[in-house]
Amino acid sequence: MSVGESITRVDAVQKVTGQAKYTADLAPKNVLYAKLVHATIANGRVLSIDGGEAEKVNGFVKLVTCFDVPKTQFPTPGHPWSVEKAHQDVSDRTLLSERVRLYGDNIAVVIAQSSLAAAKAARLVKAEYEEYAPLMSAKEALAHTEHPLHEEKPDNLIAHSHFTVGEESYEQAKAEEPDCLELVKNYQTQTVQHCHLEPAQSYAYMEGDRIVVVSSTQIPHIIRRIIGQALSLPLGRIRVVKPYIGGGFGNKQDALVEPLAAYLTTVVGGKPVMVELSREENFTATRVRHAIEFDTRALVRRDGTLIARKLSAYSAQGGYASHGHSIVANSTAAFKQLYRDRKALECDAYTAYTTMPTAGAMRGYGIPQSDFATECMSDDLALMLHMDPIDFRLKNCVQAGYKDPHTGITFYSYGLEECIQKGKKAFHWEEKRKEYAHQTGDIRRGVGMAIFIYKTGVYPISLETAGARLTLNQDGSVMLQMGATEIGQGADTVFSQMTAETVGITEDRVHIVSTQDTDYSPFDTGAYASRQTYVSGMALKGAAELLKKRILDYAAEVLNRPAEELDIRQNNIVQAKDGDVLLALAKLAEEAQYSLKHSVHISAEYSHHCTDNTFSSGACFAEVEVDIPMCRVKILRILAVHDSGTLINPKLAEAQVHGGVSMGIGYGLYEEMLFNEKGKPLNDNLLDYKLPTAMDSPDMEVEFVQVEDPTGPYGNKALGEPPAIPPAPAIRNAVLNATGVAVDSLPLSPQKLFEHFVRAGLIKEEQGNV
């Protein structure tokens, strides 16, 4: 037995002792350093670049400007490529940009013999611009198209999508239900950054006519394809290596600096060139989470029955398409999936280019934004009806067996209502609601909750494919190679457990190769969409079953017994019927390798094209204390209850939830990228950008509802991203319960709370003036 056990992470020792090697650790001693030169305007054109002073810096090697690089446009998101043009990602990037589309856009790069020399020279590069007005929100960008950010999109609109559910329109439903109550609200989420420990970095060098790129990426195989597109090179001339990676959270599900690094090595004769971004550059020159504005309407009967909803969502994309419209499309899908509209649902989504940092994938892929709007709406409706928020959800939430009317994704294993009930009981919900009713005074407490739904992987929206390879070593251990990437989430550990479970060996006999190398690793699209234990797990299970069959076939030959009568258990070949040990697997492996009669190298490789999907779900409960005069929210207690199918490693699962809840707390209370009126970032560093610390977080409580999913390779389904989804609306709803004040935008910062408390009369204006 291995699946379901909380074994220690297989990479724990390497990481805590410093043995694990990351991209920067592997750079050769003769590596050259490249430093980007960033635009100092948010919107306009580069007219000229002067590198005269930069060239005088000791150690200067070369200046490459936006006027020097190829004009080939390429896409950057970590999506599987589509052979159908209509489903291909937007190609709107060049290696460096003459057309400036955000403050900090990459307009030139200095190569030098040291990182200090490169940084000094880059600061001395001067640029002249033709400047235009910044466009800082989606609605503003759609209204002002005098200078489109991309010529291919003259209205700044990347895409608009529309769908309906039900045979009636929202207005028809409203006309038929004159006694219904209507809620009309605008909810807004903010721009935040991933803040992974390891900055974006990559170095490249040449071996003959081939380019080798070593990178901290979630998607090595996709990065190879993007480099090929950017440099117009066949993929066989490109090799991408992914060593240990210090976090990504979706930011590294994008080509960030890899194509540029690959190009730069070609302009210095194939010498190694390192492109490493500073923390400040990670805020503006990589990716951020989309700020999305939701215009919502909802109709509800007085008994709490949800009749109809209408949504218009506006997503601020930033200067380049990256993952583009897929984010807000995912948001509107979750808005649809979480609740039952008895008569009508109408959803429109718009994604617009803006002059803000480019937005891409971030943990939850549009669902944290959507869930904030959806779950704030649920509490606001419940308050309007004088109804318990949990009762409202139980009356209207998605039911077992739900099948999405557009994608066909089905809720095969359903644990949502059990999550709600389990959390309600553990949190003493009813007692707390009664205790905190009718409060007065400056310090008030409240409880809130939020639910969520999240699909597993990207099928059928996009291709889902994965590969795995297993080799039997001469000592009876197994070498495992995956195309799926370990990015800190524990993938290598659960893959090792899956292998041990299926083959019939102990976990210590599984040796996983943590590095991915596109020259020899099986193909996999990468780490994103909470897909790896589900999709890559299917490939691994197929490879493990095939390896086991081949081992038993050879054992049958050696033992002169039918293979059907044999099994592998605890590193031994045994009789299947009673478990009697017949031969140590190590002895069999040695015989297979070195036999003079029949030498066999036993291995198995398997690829899986996944054509199924399922939903995870859950609930988050928060208890807060609000200091009204200080405009401060303190989280007293937070509980996450998750329906994620069978847990492969319960302790790792709990750790995933802890990390996600922590990110959700930051999203709800603290984090927000700020900009001046010119679009210049004001807090692009970890001193001014407020991240939650251990002092801001209570002990995180985690519960699971384990309902085996029939589609998961081991009954499992998504868990990596879901924990980050519901904490922010749960906290907002707890503040609503404590104060009666509905804050409809994130984060619930002291400044914002002050404005709301003044409007609500909880703080007198003269108090604020003091």
Side-chain angles (χ1 to χ4, degrees):
M1 181 71 177
S2 183
V3 166
E5 294 181 357
S6 294
I7 70 167
T8 302
R9 289 182 62 127
V10 299
D11 55 2
V13 173
Q14 294 96 315
K15 288 185 173 179
V16 301
T17 60
Q19 297 175 57
K21 300 299 181 186
Y22 298 81
T23 298
D25 299 320
L26 299 173
K29 291 183 179 180
N30 65 332
V31 69
L32 299 174
Y33 290 86
K35 192 66 177 177
L36 285 160
V37 178
H38 300 288
T40 54
I41 62 170
N43 191 8
R45 293 185 179 278
V46 180
L47 300 178
S48 65
I49 293 178
D50 179 4
E53 292 301 312
E55 293 175 5
K56 299 175 184 178
V57 173
N58 186 35
F60 172 89
V61 174
K62 193 173 185 67
L63 172 66
V64 179
T65 76
C66 55
F67 304 111
D68 303 323
V69 298
K71 302 306 179 187
T72 304
Q73 291 187 309
F74 57 92
T76 64
H79 292 155
W81 188 243
S82 175
V83 294
E84 299 174 6
K85 188 172 179 60
H87 293 98
Q88 292 173 1
D89 290 307
V90 178
S91 295
D92 64 355
R93 277 273 186 179
T94 53
L95 294 171
L96 297 169
S97 299
E98 181 180 344
R99 174 66 168 92
V100 176
R101 300 178 174 98
L102 65 138
Y103 194 100
D105 210 346
N106 304 332
I107 62 171
V109 61
V110 171
I111 304 173
Q113 292 174 355
S114 71
S115 59
L116 290 176
K120 182 178 180 179
R123 288 194 297 269
L124 295 173
V125 174
K126 306 298 181 185
E128 291 186 17
Y129 306 97
E130 177 183 334
E131 187 173 3
Y132 312 137
L135 304 170
M136 299 178 66
S137 73
K139 289 182 177 179
E140 183 181 6
L142 294 174
H144 298 281
T145 59
E146 299 85 358
H147 300 286
L149 288 167
H150 293 266
E151 293 179 0
E152 301 84 355
K153 301 289 184 181
D155 53 3
N156 290 325
L157 180 68
I158 296 176
H160 165 231
S161 58
H162 170 80
F163 67 79
T164 61
V165 178
E167 297 181 0
E168 301 180 22
S169 68
Y170 181 90
E171 295 300 334
Q172 287 173 322
K174 184 177 180 180
E176 292 173 359
E177 302 267 354
D179 196 41
C180 271
L181 300 177
E182 184 176 27
L183 178 74
V184 179
K185 279 265 192 159
N186 173 275
Y187 301 104
Q188 298 181 30
T189 63
Q190 77 281 33
T191 300
V192 298
Q193 224 279 328
H194 309 71
C195 296
H196 36 75
L197 284 175
E198 180 192 27
Q201 54 188 333
S202 174
Y203 69 87
Y205 59 94
M206 295 189 70
E207 290 181 338
D209 67 347
R210 300 188 77 213
I211 299 174
V212 180
V213 179
V214 181
S215 179
S216 176
T217 179
Q218 298 173 217
I219 49 169
H221 283 281
I222 291 177
I223 289 294
R224 180 172 72 153
R225 184 257 301 165
I226 293 173
I227 293 171
Q229 292 172 307
L231 304 188
S232 301
L233 288 175
L235 299 195
R237 289 181 56 190
I238 302 162
R239 175 186 173 200
V240 175
V241 180
K242 186 238 78 170
Y244 280 100
I245 175 172
F249 306 117
N251 197 14
K252 297 174 184 177
Q253 192 204 337
D254 222 300
L256 301 175
V257 295
E258 296 88 354
L260 181 60
Y263 173 74
L264 293 178
T265 188
T266 68
V267 302
V268 292
K271 295 177 182 178
V273 180
M274 165 73 82
V275 182
E276 182 177 22
L277 301 188
S278 66
R279 179 60 61 184
E280 290 78 7
E281 288 175 305
N282 267 268
F283 273 91
T284 54
T286 62
R287 305 292 179 267
V288 296
R289 175 177 278 165
H290 292 73
I292 303 181
E293 184 173 350
F294 300 90
D295 292 330
T296 68
R297 297 172 68 184
L299 292 174
V300 63
R301 292 181 186 144
R302 295 181 186 274
D303 67 354
T305 303
L306 187 61
I307 298 302
R309 290 177 299 157
K310 188 171 184 177
L311 170 70
S312 293
Y314 297 85
S315 179
Q317 177 54 50
Y320 297 92
S322 181
H323 287 251
H325 193 64
S326 60
I327 302 289
V328 73
N330 210 34
S331 290
T332 55
F335 185 85
K336 164 186 61 178
Q337 293 156 353
L338 191 52
Y339 286 95
R340 293 173 289 144
D341 300 276
R342 298 335 191 264
K343 290 193 174 183
L345 173 68
E346 296 180 29
C347 288
D348 284 274
Y350 304 84
T351 300
Y353 284 118
T354 65
T355 57
M356 305 298 279
T358 300
M362 186 172 176
R363 194 173 190 175
Y365 210 79
I367 311 302
Q369 298 96 309
S370 170
D371 204 59
F372 179 73
T374 308
E375 289 304 274
C376 289
M377 172 189 283
S378 294
D379 258 53
D380 292 345
L381 286 168
L383 182 64
M384 187 169 65
L385 294 162
H386 305 289
M387 188 175 184
D388 186 290
I390 287 183
D391 292 341
F392 177 83
R393 286 172 172 84
L394 291 173
K395 190 178 186 69
N396 294 291
C397 71
V398 59
Q399 297 295 291
Y402 168 79
K403 186 174 183 178
D404 186 291
H406 301 108
T407 65
I409 300 174
T410 302
F411 215 148
Y412 289 108
S413 57
Y414 179 82
L416 177 57
E417 289 191 10
E418 189 177 347
C419 286
I420 296 171
Q421 296 290 6
K422 191 171 188 176
K424 176 182 178 181
K425 182 179 179 181
F427 215 68
H428 306 290
W429 175 266
E430 292 180 349
E431 298 91 327
K432 293 289 186 183
R433 293 272 298 181
K434 290 177 182 177
E435 180 184 351
Y436 296 150
H438 314 299
Q439 294 177 87
T440 58
D442 289 342
I443 309 295
R444 303 183 192 180
R445 292 185 173 186
V447 291
M449 61 90 65
I451 61 176
F452 75 90
I453 187 173
Y454 192 83
K455 67 183 186 298
T456 305
V458 298
Y459 178 82
I461 308 302
S462 190
L463 172 69
E464 276 292 13
T465 183
R469 182 185 301 125
L470 288 163
T471 303
L472 181 66
N473 296 322
Q474 294 95 315
D475 63 355
S477 65
V478 169
M479 187 65 67
L480 169 60
Q481 292 174 285
M482 298 291 296
T485 52
E486 166 68 67
I487 62 169
Q489 79 281 48
D492 283 356
T493 303
V494 298
F495 290 147
S496 298
Q497 289 182 258
M498 290 174 172
T499 301
E501 174 86 7
T502 303
V503 175
I505 57 179
T506 53
E507 299 90 354
D508 62 305
R509 307 295 285 165
V510 180
H511 306 292
I512 188 166
V513 180
S514 190
T515 296
Q516 276 70 45
D517 185 324
T518 57
D519 268 10
Y520 64 78
S521 297
F523 183 87
D524 194 295
T525 51
Y528 58 86
S530 302
R531 62 179 290 279
Q532 291 199 138
T533 57
Y534 187 78
V535 178
S536 304
M538 294 175 183
L540 174 54
K541 188 174 184 179
E545 290 173 340
L546 184 57
L547 181 76
K548 182 175 183 177
K549 180 183 183 302
R550 290 174 177 172
I551 292 171
L552 292 178
D553 285 345
Y554 192 84
E557 179 183 326
V558 170
L559 296 171
N560 196 26
R561 293 168 179 250
E564 296 76 19
E565 296 179 5
L566 304 176
D567 198 2
I568 306 172
R569 299 176 194 169
Q570 293 292 305
N571 310 318
N572 291 303
I573 307 297
V574 303
Q575 289 189 148
K577 63 179 181 180
D578 54 20
D580 283 355
V581 175
L582 302 174
L583 182 66
L585 180 56
K587 284 291 185 183
L588 182 77
E590 186 179 44
E591 175 70 18
Q593 187 75 24
Y594 300 116
S595 174
L596 295 177
K597 294 181 180 180
H598 184 199
S599 175
V600 178
H601 303 171
I602 300 177
S603 64
E605 184 161 354
Y606 189 87
S607 64
H608 183 77
H609 178 194
C610 179
T611 56
D612 216 334
N613 206 324
T614 190
F615 289 107
S616 291
S617 64
C620 182
F621 294 77
E623 181 180 5
V624 302
E625 181 177 89
V626 184
D627 185 328
I628 294 174
M630 295 298 293
C631 304
R632 184 178 65 190
V633 176
K634 180 181 180 181
I635 301 174
L636 302 176
R637 188 182 177 198
I638 195 159
L639 167 66
V641 189
H642 282 265
D643 154 37
S644 297
T646 301
L647 301 179
I648 309 298
N649 185 312
K651 275 296 180 184
L652 276 182
E654 187 177 345
Q656 282 279 38
V657 177
H658 286 172
V661 169
S662 178
M663 292 186 81
I665 290 172
Y667 194 48
L669 292 179
Y670 306 112
E671 297 181 49
E672 181 177 20
M673 288 186 67
L674 302 173
F675 304 84
N676 68 12
E677 69 281 357
K678 290 285 191 178
K680 180 180 179 180
L682 298 175
N683 61 337
D684 54 344
N685 59 78
L686 294 183
L687 178 63
D688 299 317
Y689 182 87
K690 173 61 176 169
L691 284 170
T693 68
M695 299 296 290
D696 302 307
S697 302
D699 290 338
M700 297 176 192
E701 302 170 48
V702 182
E703 298 281 352
F704 291 100
V705 172
Q706 294 198 54
V707 183
E708 182 178 357
D709 194 276
T711 67
Y714 298 89
N716 55 295
K717 54 184 181 178
L719 178 60
E721 293 166 283
I725 295 170
I731 293 165
R732 178 267 189 188
N733 291 339
V735 172
L736 173 63
N737 178 240
T739 65
V741 176
V743 182
D744 297 334
S745 64
L746 291 175
L748 277 67
S749 62
Q751 299 91 330
K752 189 177 296 179
L753 289 174
F754 174 76
E755 295 169 3
H756 281 74
F757 290 163
V758 167
R759 284 200 296 269
L762 297 179
I763 294 178
K764 304 299 181 186
E765 287 202 46
E766 53 268 25
Q767 288 179 267
N769 294 330
V770 172

